[in-house]
Amino acid sequence: MHFSIPETEVRSGENGSTYVAYNIHVNGVLHCRVRYSQLLGLHEQIKKEYGSNVVPAFPPKKIFTLTPAEVEQRREQLEKYMQAVRQDPLLGASEMFNSFLRKAQQETQQIPTEDVALDICLSNGQKVTVNILTSDQTEDVLDAVATKLDLPDDLVGYFSLFLIREGVDGGLTFVRKLQEFELPYVSITSLRSSEFHILLRKSYWDMAYDGDVMDNRVGLNLLYAQTVSDIERGWILVNKDQHRQLKSLQEKGSKKEFIHLGQTLKYYGYIKFDPCVTDFPEKGCQVIVSAGNNELNFHVKLPNEQMKEGSFKVTRMRCWRVTSSQVPMANGTTNPCSSAKCEVKLELAFEYLMSKDRLQWVTITSQQAIMMSICLQSMVDELMVKKSGGSIKKMLRKRHNGSIHRTDSQQTVKSPPLLESPDQNREQTVKLSTKLSSVSLRGISASNSANDISGNDFHGNYAFEGIGDDDL
């Protein structure tokens, strides 16, 4: 997640006094508004709990009222502090840090703690209504959904809650995966738009784990609904013959066989992002990026209107980073940005092994850059756990102690409607491939892999020399 403090506000306090508020943004969206004294209190708590040698530097107190220049300097220092805490594996995952952000989010949005009903969408369009508190965190809401659906505790970690935006044309945009430092009800309510929803979707990449999910009736229905939805949206590609087979299996109610066939199809389990821009193979190319199968897949439209497809394997990425900047809107000015005239520009850049001994940076400019980064990191986490022989269940979710009591109002997951015919007008793409040796892996936050992860062949390297005939 990308933390920033892009602006400050002078606000009125008690007794008519004023104070400077620092607006903390997550992924370019306001999360909470806090005072310097609140962040100082958090810093003191963290220092007491974890020691002075672990905590990053914090801007010092000032005796006199700050000048505008000093406020700006403190803003920059606090932003670096928040980013450093979040990126620290110990501090960023601490309940102390996360609870501070949740409380600040609730206070900023001025939503009192009370009982509410919250709708959670399933992939087939069905909604599950759960009764929660406005102050319930993401894990609490996920537990409530699992209880309503009767999903076993040991399978809850295979699923996550995602904030999505549904367009008027039915298009689906993944905004972000809901995190442990936010309150889902507050997050969705603060957006004040009916376009946004919370979606339950599987949160792993390796289809080998589908077997665990399909052994349970509810898990099978959830995975089946997601597979049908992805096919109908065109995220999973099918030809006419495959479509006939799928429709036949669906009519028979053969859900497991339907999923098994789906697993053989192109882009099964991928998340598709909105059209954006890349500098590969040429600057300014339009691209549709999809994440899945331990790769980022590119459908690129070249300046000459030619379409090409290729994939960047996560095992070939040496490292990646997300950067944000404020840029004037189209009708804005060239003056320094204000919140009304500027928008946040997000970029994901990764350093890739293009050929033996040749690394190259590839940049994607997209408002979903952070979501792409989260996808990459979760792929890396799965690979590392698998390589070490660890438990995927422990990685997916650290379950808290105590059992969850089921209610009598459990909701069943309905089967999706029959598949519609595949889109005959879908653009065809040219695919190229070449072969590379494996590369050691380093993820974000200086995540370092001392042991190489052997990757599969790299697919779709458009700018390569020496592509053999068998690779076309």
Side-chain angles (χ1 to χ4, degrees), residues 360-379:
Q360 179 178 332
W361 281 95
V362 176
T363 301
I364 305 167
T365 303
S366 167
Q367 290 305 109
Q368 294 173 288
I370 298 166
M371 182 68 189
M372 294 178 191
S373 176
I374 290 173
C375 291
L376 289 176
Q377 187 62 58
S378 59
M379 290 176 193

Side-chain angles (χ1 to χ4, degrees), residues 157-218:
Y158 288 75
F159 295 87
S160 291
L161 299 176
F162 294 86
L163 179 64
I164 61 169
R165 185 176 69 247
E166 191 169 7
V168 292
D169 58 351
L172 195 67
T173 297
F174 278 80
V175 179
R176 69 176 183 273
K177 178 180 175 180
L178 294 183
Q179 300 294 312
E180 66 278 10
F181 56 75
E182 63 182 313
L183 310 177
Y185 178 85
V186 177
S187 294
I188 195 76
T189 302
S190 64
L191 293 169
R192 296 176 176 84
S193 172
S194 59
E195 294 181 346
F196 292 92
H197 307 282
I198 298 176
L199 174 72
L200 180 72
R201 185 181 171 91
K202 75 175 187 179
S203 59
Y204 59 89
W205 301 99
D206 192 337
M207 70 176 68
Y209 302 122
D210 285 348
D212 296 343
V213 176
M214 288 192 291
D215 283 341
N216 173 262
R217 174 185 57 83
V218 178

Side-chain angles (χ1 to χ4, degrees), residues 45-145:
Q45 284 184 300
I46 293 177
K47 187 167 63 172
K48 182 178 179 181
E49 179 72 20
Y50 297 99
S52 301
N53 58 327
V54 176
V55 184
F58 192 83
K61 290 182 179 179
K62 299 284 186 179
I63 299 176
F64 302 105
T65 303
L66 273 62
T67 65
E70 290 173 326
V71 170
E72 173 61 16
Q73 182 184 41
R74 176 174 280 182
R75 182 198 64 78
E76 293 177 353
Q77 292 171 334
L78 289 175
E79 180 178 75
K80 290 178 181 178
Y81 175 82
M82 291 297 293
Q83 291 171 349
V85 171
R86 177 59 186 173
Q87 291 169 8
D88 185 282
L90 180 64
L91 304 180
S94 68
E95 178 58 21
M96 186 179 296
F97 181 66
N98 291 326
S99 62
F100 172 85
L101 290 172
R102 291 194 296 266
K103 183 178 179 182
Q105 181 191 25
Q106 187 176 8
E107 290 179 348
T108 298
Q109 298 300 332
Q110 297 181 334
I111 295 178
T113 298
E114 58 187 4
D115 293 317
V116 291
L118 179 64
D119 287 337
I120 306 296
C121 296
L122 305 182
S123 295
N124 60 356
Q126 183 183 356
K127 289 184 179 179
V128 177
T129 302
V130 292
N131 297 315
I132 61 167
L133 291 173
T134 54
S135 57
D136 279 345
Q137 58 186 291
T138 301
E139 184 174 306
D140 296 330
V141 177
L142 185 58
D143 278 340
V145 176

